[in-house]
Amino acid sequence: MTGLNRRDFLHGAAALSVGVALAGCDPDGSPDEGNGPDGAGPVIAVNTQHVLAAVSRLMTGVNGAKWYRNAYGLWDPEANAPVPDAVKKMKQSGITLVRYPGGTSSNLYNWKGAVGPQSGRTHQVEGQHGEQVDSRYGPDEYMSVIKEIDGTPQIMAPFANSTPQEIADWVAYMNAPQGTKWGKVRAENGHPEPYGVRCWEIGNELFGKHQRYWMSANDEKAIKQYAFGGKQRQRNQRVGQPADHSAAASVSSGRPDQTFTVWYPPVVPKSQTIHVADAIWRAVSDLSSADADAKVYTFEPKSGTIRFGDGRHGEVPPKGAKITADYVSGPHAGFVDYYKAMKAVDPTIDVLAVWAPIDDGKLVTGKMSFPRLMAEHGHADDYDGMTIHPYTNFSRDLHVTSFPDKRAGHDYQMLGEAAAGKMVTDLIDEVRKYGKKSAYVAVSECGALFFGEERSTEGYPEYPYAMSHVLYIASQWARFNNVGVPWTASNDLISHKPGPSRTIFGGAPEFARMPEAVLREQLKDVFQRGGKVVDSKVNDNVGIATRETPLGAAYEALMTTATIDRDGALNVLVVNRSPDKDITAHIAPDDFTPAETVDVSVVAGRTYHDFNSEERPDAVKIEKSQAKVRGKTLDWAFKAHSVTLLRFPTRG
């Protein structure tokens, strides 16, 4: 199993430009003549002596996304093992790093309820909708998958409903030696050897308005609560059960001796007001002395447990009555407390912060800068890095609620991709400016989607799994590779349904390989061979004209990154984002003498909106060929809407 290693985290020496330096183009996007030398078109210049970063085998990681329902079929509960076909396809697709337990759905995850015998495991609260879900696919099951794929684990530890001690215990369960308290528990569960999980992030998108949980709706207050902890008044909040925050869990059954819990304990003593329907009931210390018709309850601040009477000692809440609570949640710990508790257990781990808000296609800095806040309060050393989710949100970033047509859907993704790249480099700049020298930035989710608000994808419903999104993701990896991002987890692993979806694989039992899985297969050797990232750029790039948007009205057709692998071969990745134009470019590597034959692989469908399905599983596939080098250079026609990998072996 490969772990994260700081010496592989060589940061890029220069920021990657995401501006569009356009060559001439007609309104339909066709290139003008004479863009390159002698009118030959763009030139891909590779400086093999200018090293930008180390190649990371973790560049093409994935967000596990869901742990319940047996990880959408990844786990076979009867065999107590991962499904072999799913593992085979994960390995084929070059998936190394897998994020667990996921994103929004995991913000209220309870790891202690998901280890040990299945009969003793608890249910969980799903973090987005509050429904009750199972714990069958726990940390040990997850690590079985990691072992099968020779992968690297990465854990998102929940913040909203946990404590530093609980997460420090999780670190100990995963990493502590045999013979220690949690090492013994792990061994009793059948796993004596430490797992060695090195990379942890605290929370998921807690800066989002709909992922604040106990924290304030005020941004400036909330970032301080995330960093340093605090208290927060909760108003008119439904009650529930420890493992169920659904609407039904807040309704009285009419039975005696009912108990409920507030969502975010602990509670400041005597701060609570409990409503049964529209009436305020009264807190008492003991129900045994209450009259039968007394509207009373007992309350335990640490757990947030509310207990009602049995009809003889305290009234029973009427059947169907909704129960709500006002209370002050807290005191809660902040990121700094989590960091110190976790590092005390295992100083070798990396603990990453997640407060990287985005608005209108830009990283929000200033008062919302987590690195700046930590530095101003003397805690610049108390985080090892940050994760960011540089999504393109069409409604937020481009101010659209629909795709006028397929071409617009394609172009919007390409415009958003450049903005997403700048979000990452801007965060890198913030961390370098305010953080410690070793701190870094990683990407734990990314992609192009509609979020929130009214929206329609009728004009291009296939956009999240067609070739357009493959071009988006390939471009992101090229940018991240060039600036030394050490790991990424893009897209979700498995869909809840068998057909095409915004995932790497469709649902069980087929686990159909989506076009992004094909892209990953194409590129796995580049990232897994190791080596170094070298400087590459496209001179006289072709511009693609688009509708006018807040993110501009044109984008560069070609994106590139280049590496020298351990065998000394030069790998040049070129993404042609043009929806309909082949583009010939001149590849000119400096200080490199290639062999006469170049290995070529191309991923492309018939159109930019092509995708794989059960009927056409190979609509998007890898096509391999070879080409002859002319001297030390190569002219190559890059197909429209394609990802091309050129491997130049060194001349022996």
Side-chain angles (χ1 to χ4, degrees):
M1 185 182 306
T2 300
L4 295 173
N5 190 317
R6 269 203 179 87
R7 64 174 177 266
D8 294 331
F9 289 174
L10 179 62
H11 294 301
L16 176 68
S17 170
V18 295
V20 180
L22 297 178
C25 65
D26 294 327
D28 66 355
S30 58
D32 286 345
E33 294 297 325
N35 290 329
D38 302 322
V43 174
I44 299 172
V46 182
N47 184 346
T48 60
Q49 301 304 305
H50 184 189
V51 177
L52 301 178
V55 175
S56 172
R57 74 184 294 269
L58 308 180
M59 183 59 64
T60 56
V62 66
N63 185 24
K66 300 295 182 289
W67 80 93
Y68 49 86
R69 301 177 198 163
N70 297 310
Y72 283 174
L74 172 61
W75 189 258
D76 182 346
E78 293 187 5
N80 196 34
V83 174
D85 186 48
V87 169
K88 177 183 177 182
K89 289 176 178 175
M90 290 175 71
K91 294 173 72 173
Q92 179 184 0
S93 303
I95 293 173
T96 50
L97 178 139
V98 180
R99 185 182 186 225
Y100 176 88
T104 308
S105 67
S106 306
N107 263 330
L108 300 176
Y109 185 71
N110 170 23
W111 79 270
K112 289 182 179 178
V115 297
Q118 292 286 347
S119 60
R121 297 191 184 184
T122 66
H123 286 93
Q124 302 271 352
V125 178
E126 194 273 340
Q128 185 169 12
H129 304 291
E131 63 184 351
Q132 180 173 280
V133 293
D134 64 80
S135 296
R136 291 192 295 270
Y137 182 69
D140 293 311
E141 287 76 17
Y142 159 69
M143 290 305 303
S144 294
V145 173
I146 292 295
K147 182 178 180 180
E148 288 282 342
I149 66 170
D150 188 26
T152 295
Q154 190 271 311
I155 288 179
M156 190 286 288
F159 174 84
N161 70 327
S162 65
T163 67
Q165 187 59 57
E166 288 170 347
I167 302 306
D169 289 346
W170 195 359
V171 174
Y173 183 84
M174 304 304 281
N175 294 354
Q178 298 183 49
T180 61
K181 174 186 174 181
W182 287 105
K184 290 178 180 177
V185 175
R186 186 183 62 241
E188 290 170 357
N189 292 336
H191 307 279
E193 295 299 322
Y195 290 127
V197 180
R198 299 297 167 215
C199 193
W200 302 71
E201 56 182 335
I202 306 300
N204 177 81
E205 295 180 5
L206 298 170
F207 51 82
K209 295 294 186 183
H210 302 292
Q211 296 189 54
R212 291 289 171 84
Y213 302 96
W214 66 264
M215 294 187 296
S216 174
N218 178 277
D219 291 342
E220 291 186 34
K221 186 175 181 180
I223 187 176
K224 293 176 182 177
Q225 290 171 333
Y226 175 68
F228 310 122
K231 306 172 186 175
Q232 184 62 41
R233 168 68 68 177
Q234 313 295 309
R235 300 185 185 279
N236 195 33
Q237 189 179 85
R238 294 196 313 261
V239 299
Q241 300 297 327
D244 190 353
H245 290 182
S246 66
S250 67
V251 176
S252 171
S253 66
R255 296 175 181 173
D257 297 317
Q258 292 181 81
T259 61
F260 298 87
T261 58
V262 301
W263 286 359
Y264 308 122
V267 174
V268 172
K270 299 182 181 180
S271 70
Q272 84 283 352
T273 301
I274 305 300
H275 300 256
V276 177
D278 295 326
I280 296 176
W281 286 36
R282 179 169 55 89
V284 296
S285 59
D286 186 0
L287 290 169
S288 64
S289 59
D291 294 337
D293 59 353
K295 291 179 170 54
V296 296
Y297 64 91
T298 62
F299 189 76
E300 207 288 301
K302 184 177 180 180
S303 64
T305 301
I306 307 158
R307 179 178 294 277
F308 291 103
D310 59 6
R312 293 180 298 114
H313 302 288
E315 186 176 324
V316 175
K319 183 178 180 179
K322 183 174 73 171
I323 301 165
T324 59
D326 292 354
Y327 62 99
V328 176
S329 177
H332 294 279
F335 177 90
V336 171
D337 303 299
Y338 282 81
Y339 181 85
K340 291 180 177 179
M342 295 166 71
K343 297 286 274 193
V345 172
D346 186 348
T348 70
I349 66 173
D350 289 338
V351 183
L352 309 181
V354 301
W355 198 278
I358 295 162
D359 191 26
D360 283 336
K362 299 177 182 178
L363 178 73
V364 181
T365 55
K367 292 182 179 180
M368 290 299 101
S369 168
F370 182 84
R372 173 180 165 179
L373 177 70
M374 294 288 277
E376 289 175 345
H377 287 77
H379 292 286
D381 291 343
D382 291 334
Y383 65 102
D384 297 316
M386 295 192 66
T387 58
I388 184 173
H389 295 177
Y391 280 110
T392 294
N393 179 350
F394 298 114
S395 55
R396 178 196 65 196
D397 302 339
L398 289 101
H399 302 174
V400 297
T401 56
S402 64
F403 297 134
D405 49 42
K406 282 185 167 63
R407 173 63 187 267
H410 173 86
D411 289 343
Y412 290 168
Q413 291 194 66
M414 301 307 110
L415 290 167
E417 188 280 321
K422 192 171 189 307
M423 297 172 199
V424 175
T425 54
D426 283 351
L427 184 58
I428 290 173
D429 289 343
E430 286 287 295
V431 170
R432 286 178 178 165
K433 181 177 181 180
Y434 295 108
K436 59 190 176 185
K437 186 176 181 180
S438 61
Y440 61 91
V441 172
V443 176
S444 56
E445 290 186 34
C446 65
L449 294 168
F450 276 112
F451 290 103
E453 304 181 13
E454 294 297 323
R455 73 269 191 190
S456 170
T457 61
E458 184 176 355
Y460 190 8
E462 307 89 358
Y463 82 93
Y465 50 82
M467 268 305 302
S468 290
H469 201 66
V470 168
L471 302 174
Y472 181 102
I473 292 295
S475 299
Q476 289 277 272
W477 288 338
R479 293 189 194 275
F480 301 159
N481 198 44
N482 288 341
V483 296
V485 172
W487 59 267
T488 74
S490 54
N491 228 323
D492 292 348
L493 184 61
I494 295 173
S495 172
H496 67 282
K497 61 181 182 180
S501 184
R502 182 186 68 90
T503 52
I504 310 303
F505 307 113
E510 291 87 4
F511 302 109
R513 298 178 74 230
M514 298 294 100
E516 189 177 320
V518 178
L519 171 68
R520 290 165 178 267
E521 180 182 358
Q522 178 198 31
L523 302 183
K524 68 179 181 180
D525 283 349
V526 172
F527 295 111
Q528 294 187 21
R529 280 193 184 112
K532 55 193 178 184
V533 184
V534 296
D535 186 37
S536 62
K537 58 185 176 181
V538 182
N539 295 323
D540 299 310
N541 211 333
V542 174
I544 307 297
T546 73
R547 291 171 169 83
E548 188 68 43
T549 77
L551 296 182
Y555 58 89
E556 294 175 326
L558 301 183
M559 276 291 302
T560 187
T561 187
T563 69
I564 302 288
D565 63 31
R566 286 193 298 261
D567 298 329
L570 170 65
N571 302 285
V572 181
L573 171 66
V574 181
V575 187
N576 181 0
R577 288 102 63 85
S578 171
D580 52 13
K581 302 294 184 183
D582 295 355
I583 298 175
T584 298
H586 182 71
I587 299 94
D590 291 339
D591 298 313
F592 183 84
T593 304
E596 293 183 355
T597 301
V598 179
D599 296 320
V600 183
S601 70
V602 180
V603 170
R606 297 173 302 177
T607 65
Y608 64 84
H609 47 84
D610 216 353
F611 61 94
N612 294 344
S613 64
E614 291 182 18
E615 294 76 22
R616 298 178 63 241
D618 295 319
V620 175
K621 60 184 179 181
I622 302 173
E623 296 182 351
K624 296 184 177 182
S625 63
Q626 291 185 324
K628 293 294 185 181
V629 175
R630 185 181 62 192
K632 294 184 179 181
T633 65
L634 175 71
D635 291 332
W636 188 260
F638 295 97
K639 293 182 179 179
H641 53 80
S642 70
V643 181
T644 301
L645 178 63
L646 304 170
R647 187 168 192 266
F648 297 79
T650 185
R651 184 172 297 175

